[in-house]
Each structure stands twice: as C-alpha cells, then as structure tokens.
Amino acid sequence: MERSELVRELKTLRKGRGLAGRVEDRIGPLLRSACSVADGDGMVAIREKVSDRLTGLAADLPEDLRVAALAAFAICAEARQPLYQDRVRWAAHRLDRDPRTVRRRVDEAIDLLAELASSPSSSPAASGDQWHTSSLAIACVVDPPLILERRRIVADQEGLQSLELAVSLPAGRPSATVLYGGTLVDRGMETSSRWGYGLELPRPMSRGESWEVGILFQPPSLRPYMVTVPRQPCDEFDLRVRFGRVPPPEVWVLNGAFQRDVSDPGYRGRPSQMDSSGEVHLRFRGLMPGLAYGARWESSDHLAKSGQ
C-alpha cells in the first residue's frame, strides 16, 4: 500500500511546473518522509531536499529512465518548462523517442523510484554520504594545460578522515600536487580515462565542520570542455577558463546537462562571452549529483572533464 501511495504522490508532483513551482502543498506525507522534509521547512528547503533525494535515487536507473524522470519533475535545469507535456517533448528530443514512449518511461521510472525510496537500505540516513561540497572553484588554463582546484567540504558524519574523488582526462592519470589540506592517495584507474584518488585529512573532522583543500593538476592534454559532475551535492561552483593565444570562436555554458551531452557534437548549451583577455568566468549554485556543469568550446583540441 505504501509504495502505491508513493507512486500517486510522485505523479501528483510531476504536474504543472513540477519541482520548479510551489511545492509546499504538493509534497505528500510519504514523499516528505522519504526526503526527510521537516515540518518547519520552507519552500526552498523542501525543493532542495526532494530534488537531491530524487536525483540520488534516479542515479540507479537506466539512462533513458533517468532522463525521463529528471525532466518530468523539472529537476534538470534545461527541462524547466511550465507544463509537463513540454518537459515530455524535451525529453523525447533528448532521447530520440516519441512523446508517448517517454510518458511510458516516466511512469516506469516513477514506479522504480517509489520502490527505491521505500527500501530501508536506501533511506537518507543509510545512504553513506560522509561529506558534501559547500564550494568548488576551478581555474583552468587551456594552453598549456593547467588546472587549479580549490574545494571546501563539510563533514556530514563524525570522525571524517578521508575524501574519495576522481578526475577524468583523455590521457589517463594526470600529474597531481596537493597544495594544502591533506595527503594524496592514488586509487588507480577506475576506467580507461577516469583516475580515482583519495585525500587523507590531517585529523578527523567533527560533523558539520568545514575544511578546504587545494590541488594542482597538470594533464598532458585537454578536451574542448571543462565540467564538474558532482558525486555529492555541491552548493556552489566557480569556474574560470583561460584560453590563451588562440581563443575558440564559441563557448557554451552547460548547466545541469546530462553526462552524455557533454561530448555530443549536436549538443551546445547556452552561449557565453569571453572577456578581452580570452577568459570565461561562470558561477553555478545548487549543483545536482550526476549532472554536468561547466563550459564547452569549439575546438579541435582535447579537453578535461573533472568528475567528483
């Protein structure tokens, strides 16, 4: 009974503007419980908690169901049209399917989300998140390739001692130097292009305590984009890209894009202007785990993709 009621609540939530609209009166009791929404939470807090929870659950779905779900609830920044049918058409275009098929995908995704949310092992308290990023700043020089990353994290559990991170680059493992904040631990290649690494903190952190680390990456080459795909929630992301002597003819902003769109030649994003020194400065807030944020440019050179 509980799962069927949660399905009903999720189908109510997808109507109208979804999570982009006023949500206080459209979040049912079971969804409030599944997303740890408290009685005193306002609209902004409710939206953030529900968005974070559904995004985390959707990460376990097949890609077509994940795209359909994030579009249906207006979680994806590019699918925040005021009407559900408009968001369905957007997802249909992204998935190269007809709208009727996407509606079936949304229903299937909602059934699976309800099942995942109803499982005790997937509750927020049991999710195993040990920390989150309060601010991430990346300064990138394209030629020659150089990436400076500064990250301020907040411990979400008592006694946090290490961070697990990763970076994806076309030529595999980069040269990495910790400037401050911890000791680097090489976790090896997770895939052919993603290098996993850890940071051992100088001392255990208390729950709610913040800490900043700085790392300098020197990759042998870059691809024509610089994005972050957070594994944990990220409150703020500040990105600066300096192109050097030969700036690209066009630069586009990727704000909550799906990961496969980052390298899709047919996907562009919102145009962005460079300043007189050939730099682009972008800011993002409220980043969702599993979605891509950053810049992409027109270039025949290779890029870097920073995934945390």
Side-chain angles (χ1 to χ4, degrees):
M1 178 63 178
E2 179 175 313
R3 178 183 170 187
S4 63
E5 283 298 310
L6 188 52
V7 167
R8 183 186 62 79
E9 291 182 10
L10 288 169
K11 288 184 176 179
T12 297
L13 179 61
R14 75 184 178 187
K15 296 178 180 178
R17 294 181 181 272
L19 279 167
R22 299 192 65 86
V23 297
E24 304 99 312
D25 300 329
R26 295 191 298 113
I27 304 294
L30 293 178
L31 191 54
R32 283 176 174 268
S33 176
C35 301
S36 300
V37 175
D39 291 340
D41 286 341
M43 182 173 64
V44 174
I46 294 174
R47 183 182 292 118
E48 289 180 352
K49 287 184 177 181
V50 177
S51 295
D52 289 349
R53 183 76 171 121
L54 293 180
T55 301
L57 293 173
D60 292 329
L61 301 181
E63 183 177 8
D64 59 336
L65 300 186
R66 183 170 65 251
V67 170
L70 297 182
F73 295 115
I75 294 176
C76 176
E78 297 180 349
R80 290 180 181 164
Q81 292 87 344
L83 299 176
Y84 172 62
Q85 62 188 22
D86 294 333
R87 298 194 294 276
V88 167
R89 282 195 288 267
W90 180 91
H93 176 71
R94 297 303 318 146
L95 295 171
D96 194 21
R97 297 289 187 272
D98 62 79
R100 182 179 299 179
T101 298
V102 170
R103 290 190 184 93
R104 291 197 298 268
R105 297 289 188 272
V106 172
D107 287 340
E108 185 178 352
I110 285 177
D111 286 338
L112 291 173
L113 289 174
E115 180 178 357
L116 291 170
S118 301
S119 171
S121 63
S122 68
S123 65
S127 63
D129 287 342
Q130 300 178 349
W131 57 275
H132 70 274
T133 300
S134 61
S135 65
L136 172 66
I138 292 178
C140 170
V141 177
V142 175
D143 184 21
L146 194 64
I147 302 168
L148 172 62
E149 176 181 304
R150 293 181 293 113
R151 181 190 299 270
R152 178 164 290 276
I153 66 102
V154 177
D156 293 326
Q157 72 167 29
E158 195 70 23
L160 178 69
Q161 293 185 302
S162 64
L163 311 178
E164 295 299 323
L165 299 163
V167 61
S168 296
L169 296 158
R173 189 193 190 286
S175 170
T177 303
V178 178
L179 303 180
Y180 57 88
T183 302
L184 186 71
V185 179
D186 190 344
R187 303 297 192 203
M189 299 302 296
E190 298 178 347
T191 69
S192 60
S193 62
R194 186 174 68 244
W195 173 57
Y197 65 98
L199 281 174
E200 294 293 333
L201 303 179
R203 58 173 176 79
M205 293 177 58
S206 301
R207 181 182 178 90
E209 185 181 357
S210 64
W211 187 260
E212 184 170 302
V213 298
I215 306 177
L216 182 66
F217 296 99
Q218 295 177 283
S221 63
L222 298 175
R223 297 193 183 103
Y225 54 85
M226 172 57 65
V227 302
T228 184
V229 183
R231 292 178 173 178
Q232 291 85 11
C234 178
D235 298 335
E236 297 179 354
F237 174 38
D238 186 283
L239 174 64
R240 296 176 183 268
V241 181
R242 183 178 180 88
F243 292 99
R245 298 185 302 273
V246 184
E250 291 187 89
V251 179
W252 301 280
V253 180
L254 304 181
N255 187 0
F258 293 105
Q259 292 187 50
R260 72 171 188 174
D261 291 337
V262 174
S263 57
D264 184 349
Y267 184 86
R268 295 298 178 95
R270 172 171 56 85
S272 179
Q273 297 296 320
M274 286 174 286
D275 64 20
S276 59
S277 60
E279 296 181 12
V280 170
H281 185 198
L282 304 174
R283 295 185 178 93
F284 305 88
R285 300 181 68 88
L287 285 69
M288 295 292 182
L291 299 180
Y293 302 82
R296 174 176 172 174
W297 52 91
E298 184 174 315
S299 172
S300 58
D301 297 331
H302 288 106
L303 144 114
K305 175 182 174 185
S306 172
Q308 297 82 10

